Amino acid sequence: MPEVPPEQTGIMDQGSSGNNTAASGVLPSEATTTQPKDAQNGAVKRNRGQTSKDRREFARKKFKERNLEMKQGDKEAQRQPNPERTEARLPKRKVALLMGFCGTGYQGMQTNPNARTIESELFKALVSAGAVSADNATDQSKVQLQRAARTDKGVHAAGQVVALKMIVEDPDIVAKINANLPDQIRVWGYVRVIRSFNAKTACGSRIYEYLLPTYVLAEPNKANVEIARTVPFHERRLPETSAEEMAQLRSYRISPEMLQYVRDAFAKYKGTHDYRNFTVTRGCTEVNSKRHIYHFDVSDPMIIDGGEWVSLKVKGMSFMMHQIRKMVGLIIMMAKERVPLKLIDEMFGSVRVNVPKAPGLGLLLEQPVFDGYNQRAANLKQGASNPVHFDDYKDAIQKFKQKFIYDAIRETEAADAVFNEWVKSNEIFPEDYSYINAEGVIPESAIIVPGQVRRIPPIFLKPGDDADEAAEAAAAAGEGGLPAEAAGASSDDEVDTKDD
């Protein structure tokens, strides 16, 4: 028999080995991964020898690798043509959009589901004008849209700042945005800002104006006081006010003594105080309820269409929900009875009382102020950021205020007597305001006890409501036992409970 060459022997041995493996029922892949027992034990020992630090380092390494792969995948996807894209991708720039609006007919500034709001109108106009791409048209967060301050239902703003990442390639973009907005909402312009600009946190202070008809400061109506004194609580109703009676009210003129009293009263708010009694109960503590007011000024009286008005202007670092309207409401109640001003100091104390909110109709956001940001921006390189202010649009803003805000406030008051209805409700249901007294002290009867059931005026109950059940629900909600409507409120207020 001829001798087989070594090469052939090797080939035959390999084939024989493969056949033996198959015949034994072990797959080739299993055969190749089979390790000696001591080798397996060695691997186990090495794993057991790893420290927590080793495992953390391994996890970090894998995390970085995955992130890198994802980023590379995203870049590759961006380079690939998108058959569904119908427009060219244009660069976005971080801007501060300067705007103003009349809030009549809107449920506030901020977007809310199933509500007509200023923000939703603005965002639709930005999309239609091409300032926001179609890819981002369904989600405001994609362009990082944020406001400097919230506003309540029906509250106006002469100056408001909205920050977002916007397409600004078109030199006529502001005109195109305005063309897609109703006349009562206007965009004044925009300012390029740094990428980290936050309209809320960069805002150092806010200025609000409140237009107040002076007839609300007149002495209490004797007929209303008599109803409160003689008619059982749940049988009281607000009487109709005739046209002649309204004309008489609007002929009221504030005296120099009353004007000085009101100015002194609002001046008491200046400084840093605890405003727990001027906001909602829930979540409010001594720690988060202190606010700083720079000034609260009262103008000389103005005669408009036969009625007398004063303008109240307040500048503060930030405001809580309901704060400004409650500050105004308290002074109105005090002025009507000439309550000693020391009551305001007691209101800054720890006891909780119910303070009525003045109507939202007279309130408007004058402007947010960005002095601190503007000083920092001045030190940046040329073109990195411009100062955020409304100085270039003063004339346009004043014309807009007169036509769409001041006239709207006056016309609404003339048609609906909003302030008179508010005064009547407080005079006929005075039970929660026993601190309005000649001594200027807070009696025990006015102090809110947590969980205490308080009566709700029947004029605020809906058909079919049970008064006792409604009162219990209101107490459980932490609003001092009265629903928002009972204090002249709406669903939200000028700002939210966070700093705005």
Side-chain angles (χ1 to χ4, degrees):
M1 181 175 179
E3 184 175 342
V4 179
E7 295 85 356
Q8 293 183 23
T9 304
I11 293 172
M12 289 174 65
D13 290 341
Q14 290 176 10
S16 174
S17 173
N19 291 337
N20 291 338
T21 303
S24 65
V26 180
L27 295 177
S29 59
E30 293 175 339
T32 55
T33 56
T34 301
Q35 295 181 359
K37 187 173 182 179
D38 56 344
Q40 294 178 10
N41 291 338
V44 172
K45 289 179 180 179
R46 284 195 298 272
N47 287 335
R48 288 179 178 173
Q50 287 182 340
T51 64
S52 297
K53 181 178 179 182
D54 294 333
R55 289 192 290 273
R56 286 196 300 270
E57 290 297 330
F58 179 79
R60 289 194 191 100
K61 181 180 178 182
K62 288 297 181 183
F63 181 75
K64 290 180 180 178
E65 289 175 355
R66 284 196 297 270
N67 278 349
L68 181 60
E69 290 173 1
M70 291 173 64
K71 289 180 180 179
Q72 290 174 343
D74 291 342
K75 291 180 180 179
E76 184 63 28
Q78 291 176 10
R79 286 194 291 266
Q80 296 297 325
N82 185 353
E84 297 180 357
R85 187 181 297 281
T86 58
E87 59 181 14
R89 181 184 290 273
L90 296 174
K92 300 187 292 291
R93 305 290 183 232
K94 190 66 173 286
V95 303
L97 197 69
L98 312 180
M99 65 177 299
F101 56 84
C102 170
T104 303
Y106 289 91
Q107 301 292 315
M109 172 71 187
Q110 55 283 359
T111 297
N112 284 313
N114 304 318
R116 185 171 182 247
T117 67
I118 300 296
E119 252 183 23
S120 59
E121 290 274 16
L122 173 64
F123 192 66
K124 285 190 294 185
L126 291 168
V127 174
S128 299
V132 172
S133 68
D135 292 340
N136 298 328
T138 59
D139 188 355
Q140 293 180 187
S141 64
K142 289 184 177 181
V143 294
Q144 301 174 14
L145 189 145
Q146 56 188 198
R147 71 203 78 82
R150 293 175 53 152
T151 58
D152 185 20
K153 172 185 176 182
V155 174
H156 320 290
Q160 168 71 298
V161 171
V162 174
L164 76 155
K165 295 173 72 174
M166 192 172 88
I167 299 170
V168 295
E169 302 296 308
D170 189 343
D172 298 322
I173 192 62
V174 172
K176 290 182 178 179
I177 295 171
N178 283 326
N180 287 280
L181 285 169
D183 290 342
Q184 70 186 86
I185 304 175
R186 293 290 90 182
V187 170
W188 310 123
Y190 67 87
V191 176
R192 287 283 301 275
V193 292
I194 59 176
R195 285 183 295 177
S196 61
F197 178 82
N198 183 303
K200 183 175 178 178
T201 59
C203 179
S205 60
R206 296 155 180 87
I207 301 174
Y208 281 87
E209 181 176 14
Y210 195 99
L211 292 183
L212 185 72
T214 59
Y215 75 77
V216 301
L217 304 173
E219 292 183 357
N221 183 286
K222 293 181 180 179
N224 294 340
V225 173
E226 187 65 13
I227 291 173
R229 189 180 68 83
T230 61
V231 179
F233 187 87
H234 287 296
E235 295 179 15
R236 299 176 202 167
R237 297 294 184 272
L238 300 189
E240 294 289 333
T241 303
S242 67
E244 292 76 15
E245 289 173 323
M246 279 308 306
Q248 180 65 29
L249 279 173
R250 288 173 177 145
S251 68
Y252 173 87
R253 299 295 181 261
I254 191 170
S255 67
E257 294 78 19
M258 175 61 81
L259 181 60
Q260 189 59 51
Y261 174 92
V262 171
R263 283 174 169 164
D264 291 343
F266 279 109
K268 296 281 284 183
Y269 290 130
K270 184 178 178 181
T272 302
H273 301 288
D274 186 342
Y275 283 95
R276 262 180 291 180
N277 280 320
F278 298 84
T279 186
V280 296
T281 305
R282 192 180 306 159
C284 186
T285 66
E286 182 181 2
V287 177
N288 61 17
S289 59
K290 290 185 178 179
R291 293 295 184 273
H292 183 79
I293 303 298
Y294 292 102
H295 60 76
F296 209 142
D297 300 328
V298 182
S299 74
D300 290 333
M302 307 168 284
I303 306 299
I304 304 173
D305 290 344
E308 186 180 63
W309 298 71
V310 290
S311 169
L312 315 174
K313 285 198 176 182
V314 56
K315 180 180 181 181
M317 291 182 66
S318 63
F319 298 93
M320 295 184 291
M321 181 180 285
H322 308 332
Q323 182 180 338
I324 295 174
R325 287 167 60 187
K326 282 179 174 281
M327 292 165 79
V328 174
L330 176 64
I331 302 304
I332 294 173
M333 299 279 283
M334 291 178 60
K336 294 175 75 65
E337 299 277 7
R338 291 295 186 96
V339 175
L341 297 184
K342 69 175 183 177
L343 175 64
I344 299 175
D345 296 320
E346 291 205 29
M347 287 292 182
F348 296 143
S350 59
V351 297
R352 289 287 305 188
V353 299
N354 192 3
V355 177
K357 290 182 290 182
L361 175 65
L363 182 66
L364 67 111
L365 173 63
E366 180 78 12
Q367 63 173 295
V369 181
F370 295 86
D371 288 344
Y373 172 82
N374 292 340
Q375 290 176 3
R376 293 191 298 272
N379 297 324
L380 300 175
K381 65 179 182 180
Q382 185 73 22
S385 178
N386 294 318
V388 180
H389 57 67
F390 294 85
D391 294 352
D392 297 336
Y393 311 102
K394 282 184 177 179
D395 292 342
I397 291 174
Q398 188 57 40
K399 290 177 182 177
F400 179 84
K401 280 172 63 175
Q402 187 61 54
K403 181 177 180 180
F404 289 99
I405 299 180
Y406 292 158
D407 287 355
I409 293 174
R410 176 186 54 78
E411 291 168 3
T412 303
E413 165 59 21
D416 302 331
V418 174
F419 287 91
N420 181 53
E421 293 299 306
W422 181 83
V423 168
K424 279 195 297 186
S425 68
N426 291 327
E427 290 178 349
I428 292 176
F429 299 97
E431 279 75 9
D432 284 307
Y433 314 125
S434 56
Y435 53 80
I436 300 297
N437 54 57
E439 293 75 31
V441 297
I442 300 176
E444 188 174 344
S445 60
I447 298 174
I448 294 174
V449 178
Q452 180 183 17
V453 176
R454 303 177 75 82
R455 292 179 294 179
I456 297 178
I459 59 173
F460 301 114
L461 294 176
K462 299 176 183 178
D465 282 351
D466 180 89
D468 293 332
E469 291 180 0
E472 290 176 3
E479 292 298 328
L482 286 177
E485 293 82 3
S490 56
S491 58
D492 294 303
D493 202 48
E494 59 269 12
V495 292
D496 58 8
T497 50
K498 298 177 181 178
D499 284 354
D500 254 0

